[in-house]
Amino acid sequence: MPSHNKQKRSIVFFLVPDFSMIAFAMAVEPLRLANLMLGYECYTWRVCSNEGTPVTASNGVEVSATTSLADERRNLSGESRPTMVFVCSGTNVEGYNNKSVLAWLREEHNRGVAVGGLCTGAYVLAKAGLLSGRRCAIHWENLPGFAEAFPKANVFADLYEIDGTVHTCAGGTAALDMMLSLIGEDHDDTLVNRICEMALTDRVRNAHDRQRLPLRARLGVQNAKVLSIIELMEAHLAEPLSLIEIADSAGLSRRQIERLFRQEMGRSPARYYLEIRLDRARHLLIQSPMPVVEVAVACGFVSASHFSKCYRELYDRSPQQERADRKQYQTAA
């Protein structure tokens, strides 16, 4: 017979409009499977929204809420007090700034309730002031804008981070890994392995496993020297290295690097470096309110005019048009 003496968890999932359905489902399903395997209700959960009304995910599917913010404020002082609260968000989270929600999250945290964020939920936790000096994780696509907006948060491109009573994950299937980690802490690896078998997943990934495919797979490049140079470039976007500095670090001549990049990447190293800096600039324009001149500086451009010229040449639109188009899309959505 299973022991029912283990700590039980009561979890509130707060849904932000345009939340990530995959992250939400991947967080809830392992809890359901754990209960099934244990033979009793070790994990309970409820879905909350600001007004207690249904919330539409980024894929257009509407999810019903069982409680409202007002309900959860009352629950905090009663028998229905949760042990954890997770903010589930997704696209367009940069513009979400509900002060009542932020105050509620601070109250939950101050009263000893663990808090967490799924996918881009770290944005909401950071706005609530709960990530200063803490390790956190967020989806790699949102990381540049997040790092610029919240410099006091220690953000990483990890699958998930657990810093004290604050839990964050990068979204997608990483929510499954984080929940399995929590279940493993509560019980043991045997239960986790049984859940994995039911969910048809072959392993639990480590918190610090990479989010993105390795450069070798992502770029289709096999040359180790080229890959190491690209990693060096990606680590120095705000203050670009000169080709001489790159050559010294790689132990190659400038001519050798030029030849390797022409062969492997179909462009010069300078051109490739420019493109990845502009790609980061595009993410910042879309995901942060940073002025264009600050985006330019953050991506290693000495002037806004030079940045705009390079941006237009690559994307056939100005940085200002990029941001305006994004705002128009968000409004329409």
Side-chain angles (χ1 to χ4, degrees):
M1 293 293 289
S3 171
H4 296 193
N5 296 325
K6 295 281 189 179
Q7 176 190 5
K8 296 184 178 182
R9 290 188 190 265
S10 171
I11 302 173
V12 173
F13 291 99
F14 181 83
L15 303 185
V16 173
D18 294 322
F19 70 94
S20 166
M21 179 63 78
I22 186 172
F24 173 59
M26 285 285 180
V28 173
E29 281 301 293
L31 303 177
R32 179 187 70 82
L33 290 171
N35 288 344
L36 180 66
M37 300 296 173
L38 291 167
Y40 69 98
E41 202 171 57
C42 181
Y43 300 97
T44 58
W45 59 90
R46 53 186 181 262
V47 179
C48 177
S49 70
N50 191 38
E51 300 293 336
T53 52
V55 183
T56 304
S58 58
N59 63 3
V61 175
E62 195 174 74
V63 174
S64 298
T66 52
T67 63
S68 67
L69 208 58
D71 294 331
E72 291 305 333
R73 279 212 162 95
R74 287 190 290 270
N75 288 338
L76 190 54
S77 301
E79 292 183 358
S80 297
R81 168 194 171 94
T83 57
M84 304 187 76
V85 171
F86 279 104
V87 178
C88 310
S89 56
T91 59
N92 305 326
V93 70
E94 300 85 6
Y96 185 79
N97 195 28
N98 187 312
K99 292 183 179 178
S100 296
V101 172
L102 302 183
W104 167 65
L105 288 170
R106 286 192 292 270
E107 187 179 2
E108 293 279 353
H109 177 69
N110 292 337
R111 297 279 290 275
V113 176
V115 296
L118 304 179
C119 192
T120 58
Y123 256 102
V124 184
L125 296 181
K127 287 182 179 181
L130 299 178
L131 294 183
S132 293
R134 290 187 181 271
R135 292 178 65 94
C136 60
I138 199 166
H139 193 280
W140 63 266
E141 192 175 31
N142 301 90
L143 197 148
F146 180 90
E148 293 289 345
F150 305 105
K152 292 183 180 179
N154 299 323
V155 63
F156 297 89
D158 293 336
L159 293 182
Y160 63 92
E161 284 286 349
I162 299 176
D163 188 337
T165 59
V166 179
H167 305 65
T168 51
C169 80
T173 57
L176 173 65
D177 298 291
M178 183 171 71
M179 284 304 187
L180 289 174
S181 174
L182 289 174
I183 293 168
E185 288 179 13
D186 292 344
H187 300 278
D188 53 35
D189 290 342
T190 300
L191 177 61
V192 170
N193 292 337
R194 291 175 67 195
I195 294 170
C196 286
E197 287 181 340
M198 287 294 289
L200 304 184
T201 184
D202 63 349
R203 71 185 182 100
V204 182
R205 292 176 294 178
N206 185 279
H208 305 302
D209 279 6
R210 66 173 73 231
Q211 292 181 24
R212 303 183 73 180
L213 289 172
L215 274 177
R216 190 181 302 274
R218 187 163 20 118
L219 302 177
V221 173
Q222 301 301 318
N223 188 289
K225 282 290 187 182
V226 172
L227 291 171
S228 66
I229 292 170
I230 291 174
E231 287 180 347
L232 190 64
M233 290 176 173
E234 290 186 346
H236 295 83
L237 298 181
E239 297 181 2
L241 301 173
S242 68
L243 189 52
I244 293 175
E245 290 172 317
I246 292 172
D248 287 344
S249 178
L252 298 171
S253 69
R254 293 178 57 181
R255 183 170 296 181
Q256 285 174 314
I257 293 176
E258 291 277 359
R259 185 170 64 250
L260 280 173
F261 266 75
R262 294 286 182 188
Q263 290 173 349
E264 299 286 344
M265 309 305 298
R267 51 176 76 70
S268 70
R271 179 64 187 180
Y272 185 81
Y273 206 171
L274 175 65
E275 288 177 1
I276 60 175
R277 287 161 55 209
L278 289 171
D279 180 66
R280 173 165 186 175
R282 185 170 182 272
H283 280 99
L284 290 175
L285 289 168
I286 290 172
Q287 298 163 3
S288 80
M290 290 173 64
V292 171
V293 65
E294 290 185 17
V295 171
V297 172
C299 298
F301 292 89
V302 294
S303 70
S305 59
H306 181 231
F307 167 57
S308 295
K309 177 177 178 292
C310 295
Y311 197 94
R312 185 184 291 276
E313 286 177 354
L314 182 61
Y315 294 115
D316 198 29
R317 61 177 64 189
S318 69
Q320 291 81 359
Q321 287 173 314
E322 187 77 77
R323 176 161 284 168
D325 288 348
R326 178 62 177 177
K327 286 182 179 177
Q328 187 175 12
Y329 170 79
Q330 290 174 337
T331 303

